[in-house]
PDB file of all heavy atoms in Angstrom:
ATOM      1  N   GLU A 227    -104.249  -9.788  -9.594  1.00  0.00           N
ATOM      2  CA  GLU A 227    -105.011 -10.916 -10.129  1.00  0.00           C
ATOM      3  C   GLU A 227    -106.183 -11.289  -9.233  1.00  0.00           C
ATOM      4  O   GLU A 227    -107.114 -11.948  -9.662  1.00  0.00           O
ATOM      5  CB  GLU A 227    -104.104 -12.143 -10.324  1.00  0.00           C
ATOM      6  CG  GLU A 227    -103.149 -11.986 -11.491  1.00  0.00           C
ATOM      7  CD  GLU A 227    -102.454 -13.284 -11.842  1.00  0.00           C
ATOM      8  OE1 GLU A 227    -102.776 -14.319 -11.214  1.00  0.00           O
ATOM      9  OE2 GLU A 227    -101.599 -13.265 -12.738  1.00  0.00           O
ATOM     10  N   ILE A 228    -106.142 -10.888  -7.951  1.00  0.00           N
ATOM     11  CA  ILE A 228    -107.252 -11.125  -7.023  1.00  0.00           C
ATOM     12  C   ILE A 228    -107.631  -9.779  -6.423  1.00  0.00           C
ATOM     13  O   ILE A 228    -106.755  -9.038  -5.957  1.00  0.00           O
ATOM     14  CB  ILE A 228    -106.864 -12.100  -5.891  1.00  0.00           C
ATOM     15  CG1 ILE A 228    -106.503 -13.471  -6.463  1.00  0.00           C
ATOM     16  CG2 ILE A 228    -107.994 -12.229  -4.885  1.00  0.00           C
ATOM     17  CD1 ILE A 228    -106.087 -14.462  -5.397  1.00  0.00           C
ATOM     18  N   PRO A 229    -108.903  -9.416  -6.402  1.00  0.00           N
ATOM     19  CA  PRO A 229    -109.312  -8.137  -5.812  1.00  0.00           C
ATOM     20  C   PRO A 229    -108.941  -8.073  -4.341  1.00  0.00           C
ATOM     21  O   PRO A 229    -108.921  -9.093  -3.645  1.00  0.00           O
ATOM     22  CB  PRO A 229    -110.836  -8.132  -5.991  1.00  0.00           C
ATOM     23  CG  PRO A 229    -111.100  -9.125  -7.067  1.00  0.00           C
ATOM     24  CD  PRO A 229    -110.039 -10.167  -6.950  1.00  0.00           C
ATOM     25  N   ARG A 230    -108.625  -6.893  -3.868  1.00  0.00           N
ATOM     26  CA  ARG A 230    -108.317  -6.717  -2.450  1.00  0.00           C
ATOM     27  C   ARG A 230    -109.495  -7.166  -1.596  1.00  0.00           C
ATOM     28  O   ARG A 230    -110.642  -6.881  -1.906  1.00  0.00           O
ATOM     29  CB  ARG A 230    -108.027  -5.243  -2.157  1.00  0.00           C
ATOM     30  CG  ARG A 230    -106.658  -4.806  -2.649  1.00  0.00           C
ATOM     31  CD  ARG A 230    -105.577  -5.404  -1.793  1.00  0.00           C
ATOM     32  NE  ARG A 230    -104.264  -5.216  -2.378  1.00  0.00           N
ATOM     33  CZ  ARG A 230    -103.170  -5.752  -1.880  1.00  0.00           C
ATOM     34  NH1 ARG A 230    -103.240  -6.537  -0.839  1.00  0.00           N
ATOM     35  NH2 ARG A 230    -101.990  -5.528  -2.440  1.00  0.00           N
ATOM     36  N   GLY A 231    -109.156  -7.877  -0.513  1.00  0.00           N
ATOM     37  CA  GLY A 231    -110.191  -8.347   0.395  1.00  0.00           C
ATOM     38  C   GLY A 231    -110.591  -9.782   0.118  1.00  0.00           C
ATOM     39  O   GLY A 231    -111.131 -10.460   0.979  1.00  0.00           O
ATOM     40  N   ALA A 232    -110.327 -10.266  -1.088  1.00  0.00           N
ATOM     41  CA  ALA A 232    -110.668 -11.657  -1.404  1.00  0.00           C
ATOM     42  C   ALA A 232    -109.644 -12.570  -0.773  1.00  0.00           C
ATOM     43  O   ALA A 232    -108.462 -12.271  -0.736  1.00  0.00           O
ATOM     44  CB  ALA A 232    -110.693 -11.859  -2.914  1.00  0.00           C
ATOM     45  N   ARG A 233    -110.068 -13.710  -0.307  1.00  0.00           N
ATOM     46  CA  ARG A 233    -109.179 -14.671   0.335  1.00  0.00           C
ATOM     47  C   ARG A 233    -109.502 -16.072  -0.166  1.00  0.00           C
ATOM     48  O   ARG A 233    -110.634 -16.360  -0.539  1.00  0.00           O
ATOM     49  CB  ARG A 233    -109.342 -14.645   1.868  1.00  0.00           C
ATOM     50  CG  ARG A 233    -108.745 -13.402   2.482  1.00  0.00           C
ATOM     51  CD  ARG A 233    -107.229 -13.437   2.406  1.00  0.00           C
ATOM     52  NE  ARG A 233    -106.642 -12.175   2.816  1.00  0.00           N
ATOM     53  CZ  ARG A 233    -105.367 -11.886   2.661  1.00  0.00           C
ATOM     54  NH1 ARG A 233    -104.564 -12.737   2.080  1.00  0.00           N
ATOM     55  NH2 ARG A 233    -104.901 -10.719   3.055  1.00  0.00           N
ATOM     56  N   PRO A 234    -108.531 -16.977  -0.144  1.00  0.00           N
ATOM     57  CA  PRO A 234    -108.825 -18.363  -0.516  1.00  0.00           C
ATOM     58  C   PRO A 234    -109.889 -18.950   0.397  1.00  0.00           C
ATOM     59  O   PRO A 234    -109.996 -18.571   1.564  1.00  0.00           O
ATOM     60  CB  PRO A 234    -107.473 -19.078  -0.329  1.00  0.00           C
ATOM     61  CG  PRO A 234    -106.450 -17.976  -0.354  1.00  0.00           C
ATOM     62  CD  PRO A 234    -107.140 -16.763   0.193  1.00  0.00           C
ATOM     63  N   GLN A 235    -110.670 -19.866  -0.141  1.00  0.00           N
ATOM     64  CA  GLN A 235    -111.756 -20.442   0.651  1.00  0.00           C
ATOM     65  C   GLN A 235    -111.245 -21.351   1.747  1.00  0.00           C
ATOM     66  O   GLN A 235    -111.865 -21.504   2.773  1.00  0.00           O
ATOM     67  CB  GLN A 235    -112.690 -21.231  -0.273  1.00  0.00           C
ATOM     68  CG  GLN A 235    -113.463 -20.322  -1.224  1.00  0.00           C
ATOM     69  CD  GLN A 235    -114.432 -21.098  -2.057  1.00  0.00           C
ATOM     70  OE1 GLN A 235    -114.398 -22.340  -2.097  1.00  0.00           O
ATOM     71  NE2 GLN A 235    -115.308 -20.411  -2.748  1.00  0.00           N
ATOM     72  N   THR A 236    -110.101 -21.973   1.503  1.00  0.00           N
ATOM     73  CA  THR A 236    -109.540 -22.852   2.517  1.00  0.00           C
ATOM     74  C   THR A 236    -108.205 -22.316   2.951  1.00  0.00           C
ATOM     75  O   THR A 236    -107.499 -21.671   2.194  1.00  0.00           O
ATOM     76  CB  THR A 236    -109.361 -24.288   1.979  1.00  0.00           C
ATOM     77  OG1 THR A 236    -108.489 -24.232   0.845  1.00  0.00           O
ATOM     78  CG2 THR A 236    -110.682 -24.882   1.586  1.00  0.00           C
ATOM     79  N   ALA A 237    -107.865 -22.576   4.174  1.00  0.00           N
ATOM     80  CA  ALA A 237    -106.572 -22.109   4.681  1.00  0.00           C
ATOM     81  C   ALA A 237    -105.862 -23.266   5.355  1.00  0.00           C
ATOM     82  O   ALA A 237    -106.456 -24.029   6.098  1.00  0.00           O
ATOM     83  CB  ALA A 237    -106.781 -20.971   5.685  1.00  0.00           C
ATOM     84  N   THR A 238    -104.592 -23.373   5.071  1.00  0.00           N
ATOM     85  CA  THR A 238    -103.814 -24.409   5.695  1.00  0.00           C
ATOM     86  C   THR A 238    -103.447 -24.003   7.108  1.00  0.00           C
ATOM     87  O   THR A 238    -103.311 -22.830   7.399  1.00  0.00           O
ATOM     88  CB  THR A 238    -102.510 -24.654   4.910  1.00  0.00           C
ATOM     89  OG1 THR A 238    -102.186 -23.498   4.193  1.00  0.00           O
ATOM     90  CG2 THR A 238    -102.597 -25.832   4.027  1.00  0.00           C
ATOM     91  N   LYS A 239    -103.267 -24.984   7.943  1.00  0.00           N
ATOM     92  CA  LYS A 239    -102.885 -24.688   9.315  1.00  0.00           C
ATOM     93  C   LYS A 239    -101.474 -24.117   9.331  1.00  0.00           C
ATOM     94  O   LYS A 239    -100.553 -24.692   8.775  1.00  0.00           O
ATOM     95  CB  LYS A 239    -102.933 -25.974  10.143  1.00  0.00           C
ATOM     96  CG  LYS A 239    -102.559 -25.757  11.609  1.00  0.00           C
ATOM     97  CD  LYS A 239    -102.597 -27.069  12.353  1.00  0.00           C
ATOM     98  CE  LYS A 239    -102.188 -26.880  13.810  1.00  0.00           C
ATOM     99  NZ  LYS A 239    -102.165 -28.147  14.552  1.00  0.00           N
TER     100      LYS A 239
END
Side-chain angles (χ1 to χ4, degrees):
E227 288 191 4
I228 298 179
R230 285 288 169 186
R233 287 290 172 190
Q235 292 184 348
T236 59
T238 24
K239 181 181 178 182

